[in-house]
Amino acid sequence: MSRGDMAKPLLGHGSTEGDPGITPASGRTVGVLGSGDFARSLAIRLVCSGFKVVVGSRNPKRKASLFPSAAEVTFQAEAVKKTDVIFVAVFREHYSTLCDLADVLAGKILVDVSNNTEINHHKESNAEYLASLFPACTVVKGFNVVSAWTLQSGARDGNKQVLICSNNQEAKRTVAEIAQVMGFTPVDMGCMASAREIENIPLRLLPAWKIPIFLALGLFLCFFTYNLIRQVIHPFIREQKNKFYKIPIEVVNTTLPCVSYVMLSLVYLPGVLAACSQLYYGTKYRRFPDWLDQWLQHRKQIGLLSFFCAALHAVYSLCLPMRRSHRYLLIETAVKQAVEKKMNIWVEEEVWRMEIYISVGIIALGLLSLLAITSLPSIANSLNWREFSFVQSSLGFVALVVSTLHTLTYGWSRAFDENQYKFYLPPTYTLTLLVPCTVIIAKVVFSLPCIRHRLLRIRRGWEKGRYVKFVLPSATGEYASGETSSNV
Ligand code: NAP
């Protein structure tokens, strides 16, 4: 972002206008200790949000030109004297060098924005460490989850949460107000004990994605090996044919849909298992085993990876005719046909199979795209619960059924052709059908009125074997009440 760009107010005061919950925090003087990347972005954002900013540096003369002219850059002690809220934009290692300022800092709010380089790097959090160095100050942890870049571009990139914690409610409220005026959404994370958790957040690498990614890679490896044996190793051993050229595209392209299809079914399988557990125990209050809980929580990521593989499969499939091997094989077939004087090689059944197969595949990809888009937080938040569950649950199930049709039309009658069994291994698509078909059959069984009704009752709080009050109309039209076992 250019300096010119930065000089323009990104937010002004529009974000808080008319909000009675916010005191006019803008106009307040805010201090920033440090003149590095974070301090600079913070100062620019504060100035643009209407705050007076005073920056404390060890070398103000040299650093002043880096800051907007509206911000005052002075010595650390001078800056601290002019404000009661100070952002400490200095690394933890240098906190002790600020101890000379202890007297002027006394009674002020220090905002600890620091991060570590490793998860749980130190025994105590940086904020707790800062609080121990300055016992006369009130320390608030916050702003560490936003980068210097986000501070500058946040208003354009959409809202961003700022996690805040402190043992002092008043100080926390002051910092939350500043964050809000700056266009961020403050999130109260409670007392200072949460600082360690907040400091670990920017260091975590896709925590919710680990299991789904390993699952996808595991499935990819299994199906890839299986396809490699069938498509490359088998012709090499049995017919001494060199089909190794198939590895980069054909084998990968037969593997990707298998992974995508099985992953999609794995999005709905835990729901089926959860329903089975609820039906078996006759209650929704019994905790699911941990592995099922984890699985249920990772459904979104599993679904997105399924979509990713499906999208790759579509691109690979479009590229199939571009390959030189494809052109050679096409010419070879044409020459063979000419030598054999065959005029017509049109097979009506094959033509229909392919047309249906491709059409159903496109529909499946379209439905998966819809599922992926609606799982994005910004879209999901704009849907009500019914709309969200309609797309994710009902349309998702339709996507699974359509993908099954895609797989079945691909296979057609090949499952019954003994030439398709290489080394006695069945065609890959027959294997992929196992889990999705189990899910579809289970879903159909659960939709039977007797089972559906019982499941609905359980999900509304009914429990097997629990005594409940009942109210029945009597023959005279009056109501009689009593107690009965709910599972009678
Ligand atoms: P930086 O560019 O290295 O700036 C650090 C500043 O600390 C220096 O410019 C220096 O300013 C000041 N400082 C004070 N005492 C110091 C000393 N004894 N030795 C060296 N420097 C001293 O670092 P930064 O990227 O701005 O990060 C500052 C803090 O913000 C860190 O705690 C970091 O974890 C946190 N943070 C940064 C980001 C980011 O995107 N950069 C994001 C979140 C949190 P003077 O020379 O003017 O005194």
Side-chain angles (χ1 to χ4, degrees), residues 35-38 57-58 63 89-91 94 113-115 144 146 148:
S35 61
D37 296 337
F38 194 81
S57 168
R58 292 167 304 163
K63 302 291 174 72
V90 170
F91 283 103
H94 305 133
V113 301
S114 64
N115 281 320
N144 64 307
V146 287

Side-chain angles (χ1 to χ4, degrees), residues 35 57-66 73:
S35 61
S57 168
R58 292 167 304 163
N59 195 340
K61 260 198 190 152
R62 198 150 61 93
K63 302 291 174 72
S65 62
L66 301 172
V73 184

